[in-house]
Amino acid sequence: MALYALGSNGSYQLGLGLNYDTKEPIICTPPENLPSGWPSNIVKIIGGGNHTLILIAIAPPFHIQTPRAVNALYAAGDNSDLRCGPIANHTSTNEVAVGDRRCLLRFEHIINEVRLCAACWKSSAILLSTVHGESFFTSGTGSRGELGQGPDCTTSQGWNAVLTDENWTIGNPNFDPVDLAGGVNHFVTVMSNGDVYGWGNGRHGQLGEPKEDSWTPRKIAGIPFKAVRAVCGENFTYIVGSPETGEHIILGTDKYGLKSQALISIPFWKDIGASWKGIYVLFDTGALIGWGDNKLLQLPPPSLPPIDQIAVGSEHVVAKTMTGKVLAWGWGEHGNCGDNVVNVDPGTNQHRLTGWNEIPVEGNVRLLGAGAATTWIYTEPWV
């Protein structure tokens, strides 16, 4: 098993133990306190703003009766404001000063019994199993309410509970989160009954009506179907129903045609993703479509081969083809699309790919991750 990383790395967010950008995929070397067998039990990779979260499968929780597996959270990168959370090993030598910042060089153990996690630019959110049940916690900083800890709470130096009211509590049988997503400044969660809640930046309507920031979670009204997944961009939220019906809705800005260019429905979708300014839908057939901003050529290029898996970053996409190759396209200035970025947008002077680039790695690709100009590829040996 191997976890490769490439891209932006000025805050050690790739977890490589070094702080320069790389266009070559480099294998992450874990700190000593990671579980044995690393990285065979990684289940999710989330990229925030100069920080990265990884969920690693561990034994089921001891506090609650649930058949769902609960995971350990690990993190790397900028932790000056504890956006990664307080580290579990307080004597760790894995933390260094970078100017006025404190950064985790490699992936460090943060906390156990986490079922879901997501990241905004400077904050993280987790669904944590406690002696009282499950509840959301956030850590880091956020000026638009994304901490969810109450009016004008912009800093959380550690995991503190997201505030709830009588309609959204641990004792509520409808409190059963199945998905959690983060944008630049807002979080959204989907419940098993299809209800959707969100908090943070809502001024563009990404949290529904009213169009205003929400400093605690509020139910998003007006979704005309049972939601099962959600992803968040900079100023929008994309919510989908079951693959059988293909119902979907975009909340927030229509800039770049995010609403007006959307299909009527997306039946037989397999996965969804969102960049800061675009939406992506992968279908069972291997077809990948996208709409939104394409200034950096981040939308699916023509003649793309059938795709099996995607990870969508801030302005780039990483995909595994049906034949097992890893492709990347979009904004690649920091090396996150590999070693073949040859096109510079004359208007923005941004580096971008024409077509796609193949990223060579050893082994069978199991999982992809993408963040703010960061890419991860998790592989296992060929059988």
Side-chain angles (χ1 to χ4, degrees):
M1 300 287 185
L3 178 63
Y4 293 88
L6 62 158
S8 179
N9 197 36
S11 299
Y12 295 89
Q13 61 265 44
L14 294 182
L16 298 173
L18 49 88
N19 69 333
Y20 54 82
D21 295 357
T22 174
K23 60 186 178 181
E24 301 289 343
I26 299 176
I27 295 177
C28 295
T29 55
E32 294 180 356
N33 65 340
L34 278 171
S36 61
W38 157 274
S40 63
N41 40 10
I42 294 176
V43 295
K44 195 163 191 179
I45 306 168
I46 299 290
N50 297 326
H51 71 297
T52 307
L53 308 178
I54 286 185
L55 280 182
I56 297 179
I58 59 175
F62 301 103
H63 294 325
I64 59 175
Q65 298 298 319
T66 174
R68 295 170 174 157
V70 174
N71 314 294
L73 181 69
Y74 287 75
D78 189 352
N79 202 30
S80 305
D81 51 6
L82 294 184
R83 68 187 70 176
C84 297
I87 60 176
N89 179 11
H90 297 288
T91 62
S92 172
T93 59
N94 193 34
E95 190 174 33
V96 296
V98 182
D100 59 353
R101 296 172 294 144
R102 302 290 299 179
C103 298
L104 301 177
L105 285 76
R106 295 183 175 87
F107 288 104
E108 180 73 43
H109 179 218
I110 302 298
I111 191 170
N112 289 335
E113 299 196 17
V114 175
R115 185 155 66 82
L116 300 173
C117 73
C120 284
W121 187 248
K122 293 185 178 181
S123 61
S124 300
I126 60 175
L127 179 65
L128 184 67
S129 300
T130 72
V131 293
H132 304 292
E134 290 185 319
S135 189
F136 284 112
F137 291 76
T138 54
S139 187
T141 59
S143 61
R144 305 297 294 274
E146 57 264 46
L147 294 177
Q149 296 176 23
D152 301 321
C153 178
T154 60
T155 302
S156 182
Q157 294 292 307
W159 300 112
N160 289 302
V162 170
L163 296 183
T164 61
D165 59 24
E166 66 275 8
N167 296 317
W168 202 67
T169 63
I170 290 176
N172 185 343
N174 291 325
F175 183 84
D176 182 25
V178 296
D179 197 20
L180 176 65
V184 176
N185 295 110
H186 73 291
F187 289 106
V188 167
T189 182
V190 180
M191 301 294 166
S192 61
N193 68 350
D195 288 346
V196 182
Y197 291 80
W199 62 96
N201 183 3
R203 296 182 189 179
H204 295 269
Q206 59 265 57
L207 301 180
E209 296 292 342
K211 294 180 180 179
E212 61 186 25
D213 294 349
S214 182
W215 294 80
T216 58
R218 75 183 192 208
K219 185 176 180 179
I220 299 177
I223 301 172
F225 54 85
K226 180 181 178 181
V228 299
R229 282 281 311 279
V231 291
C232 302
E234 182 179 15
N235 292 313
F236 68 89
T237 302
Y238 182 51
I239 303 169
V240 298
S242 72
E244 289 74 21
T245 62
E247 295 165 302
H248 64 158
I249 189 171
I250 301 102
L251 303 176
T253 181
D254 189 34
K255 194 174 182 179
Y256 312 109
L258 289 169
K259 292 180 177 179
S260 55
Q261 293 182 11
L263 298 178
I264 296 175
S265 63
I266 53 165
F268 307 110
W269 66 266
K270 179 180 180 182
D271 197 8
I272 59 173
S275 64
W276 284 352
K277 302 167 185 175
I279 295 171
Y280 301 80
V281 179
L282 176 64
F283 292 93
D284 285 341
T285 60
L288 177 65
I289 66 168
W291 64 96
D293 185 23
N294 199 36
K295 291 186 179 67
L296 300 176
L297 305 182
Q298 59 267 61
L299 294 182
S303 304
L304 195 66
I307 299 300
D308 178 57
Q309 184 183 151
I310 60 170
V312 182
S314 56
E315 300 290 1
H316 79 291
V317 179
V318 186
K320 173 190 174 184
T321 69
M322 292 288 194
T323 58
K325 294 180 179 180
V326 178
L327 310 180
W329 62 88
W331 178 49
E333 183 173 357
H334 294 276
N336 45 295
C337 292
D339 191 23
N340 195 28
V341 177
V342 296
N343 186 293
V344 179
D345 180 2
T348 64
N349 203 35
Q350 298 278 18
H351 293 67
R352 60 187 189 177
L353 278 176
T354 300
W356 63 80
N357 186 37
E358 183 177 342
I359 300 176
V361 292
E362 293 292 329
N364 179 37
V365 176
R366 288 188 56 186
L367 184 67
L368 300 173
T374 50
T375 296
W376 292 269
I377 306 166
Y378 171 33
T379 70
E380 61 184 0
W382 297 110
V383 177

